[in-house]
Amino acid sequence: MKAVILAGGLGTRLSEETVSRPKPMVNIGGRPILWHIMKIYSSHGIHDFVICCGYMGYVIKEYFANYFLHMSDVTFDMSNNQMEIHEHHAEPWRITLVDTGDQTQTGGRLARVKQYVKNEEMFCFTYGDGLADIDVRAEIDFHRRHGKPATVAAVQPPGRFGSLQLDGPDVSAFVEKPLGDGGFINGGFFVLNPGVLDLIEGDHSVWEGDVLARLIERHELAAFQHNGFWRPMDTLRDKSYLEELWNTGSAPWKTW
């Protein structure tokens, strides 16, 4: 089974980091967030990836081209122009990197990789900037059972501020950054049948607006409720929070 990952956006809200690299290559704990997302899928047995590149896509290509070297202990003998690798830590991944254009919208990027998923029974699809402890296999099983062509992970966003619980004029409790108002939002982890791609009209098509709206109108989108950890990396505040979780050994998405 394949997982398609969007990795071509400009990441303007994280401009402190994305001026020199695409957003999916911003590091969390010394590894790109893209690597973390791929490890989530890999921990559920999905090792075949199609990455939709765009803005500074060459940075992603160079990272994986040199991945073996990055993950190995190595000695360089400069006098003899030789390299000796002592230990290596490879991943069981097959990665297809596709240039989907700098200005292409999210739906258009997905349409541009159609040839790589058109023969699949179904495939996973996600953004290159969100982490979760989602049970990918459970979502796939749910997708098979309901029979609709598209499944979205429905999540409750974290609150930005702590919440006071009041008993009359007295404060009875304080909850640090509770979940939102109880409403669910698009969590960005999808399972799709290839036929869904026929609804995408071109590079200008926005997945979240144009395509999902059509699926909803046709009653062809089902929600897999994920009540665990979920967090996007939209801002520097988000990056710092995810970094802290990783560095303290309490990253919920680390399921491997």
Side-chain angles (χ1 to χ4, degrees), residues 15-26:
S15 59
E16 301 92 340
E17 295 279 348
T18 56
V19 65
S20 60
R21 53 188 161 180
K23 188 177 180 182
M25 295 304 292
V26 173

Side-chain angles (χ1 to χ4, degrees), residues 218-254:
R218 297 156 64 117
H219 304 286
E220 293 182 341
L221 179 65
F224 174 80
Q225 290 190 19
H226 171 62
N227 297 308
F229 175 85
W230 174 83
R231 189 84 177 206
M233 188 183 66
D234 286 332
T235 65
L236 196 58
R237 179 199 293 265
D238 296 327
K239 178 191 181 300
S240 298
Y241 175 69
L242 295 171
E243 188 95 37
E244 180 182 2
L245 289 177
W246 182 265
N247 291 337
T248 57
S250 54
W253 69 88
K254 189 179 184 301

Side-chain angles (χ1 to χ4, degrees), residues 1-4 45-50 92-96 116 120:
M1 191 168 182
K2 296 183 178 182
V4 176
I46 298 174
H47 311 302
D48 196 341
F49 298 95
V50 179
W93 296 344
R94 184 176 187 271
I95 306 168
T96 302
Y116 301 103
E120 300 293 311

Side-chain angles (χ1 to χ4, degrees), residues 14-107:
L14 198 63
S15 59
E16 301 92 340
E17 295 279 348
T18 56
V19 65
S20 60
R21 53 188 161 180
K23 188 177 180 182
M25 295 304 292
V26 173
N27 284 343
I28 300 295
R31 302 282 175 81
I33 191 172
L34 178 61
W35 178 88
H36 291 265
I37 295 167
M38 295 170 71
K39 289 289 283 187
I40 292 170
Y41 279 108
S42 190
S43 70
H44 291 278
I46 298 174
H47 311 302
D48 196 341
F49 298 95
V50 179
I51 299 178
C52 304
C53 300
Y55 168 70
M56 300 187 75
Y58 65 88
V59 175
I60 302 175
K61 293 179 181 178
E62 289 174 357
Y63 176 79
F64 287 112
N66 295 302
Y67 187 82
F68 188 79
L69 185 60
H70 292 166
M71 301 298 290
S72 305
D73 295 333
V74 60
T75 295
F76 291 100
D77 185 340
M78 306 304 290
S79 61
N80 295 312
N81 193 27
Q82 292 180 343
M83 180 180 68
E84 180 183 359
I85 294 177
H86 305 288
E87 291 186 28
H88 57 85
H89 307 279
E91 304 286 352
W93 296 344
R94 184 176 187 271
I95 306 168
T96 302
L97 299 162
V98 183
D99 182 2
T100 59
D102 285 354
Q103 303 299 323
T104 309
Q105 295 294 329
T106 49

Side-chain angles (χ1 to χ4, degrees), residues 8 19 38 71 82 115 131 141 158 164 190 215:
V19 65
M38 295 170 71
M71 301 298 290
Q82 292 180 343
Q115 62 177 310
L131 298 172
D141 291 342
L164 295 177
F190 297 88
L215 288 168

Side-chain angles (χ1 to χ4, degrees), residues 1 41 43-47 122 124 134-145 191 224:
M1 191 168 182
Y41 279 108
S43 70
H44 291 278
I46 298 174
H47 311 302
M122 63 187 72
C124 294
I134 185 171
D135 188 336
V136 175
R137 277 293 161 190
E139 184 180 14
I140 292 170
D141 291 342
F142 172 77
H143 181 80
R144 281 198 174 99
R145 290 196 305 271
V191 182
F224 174 80

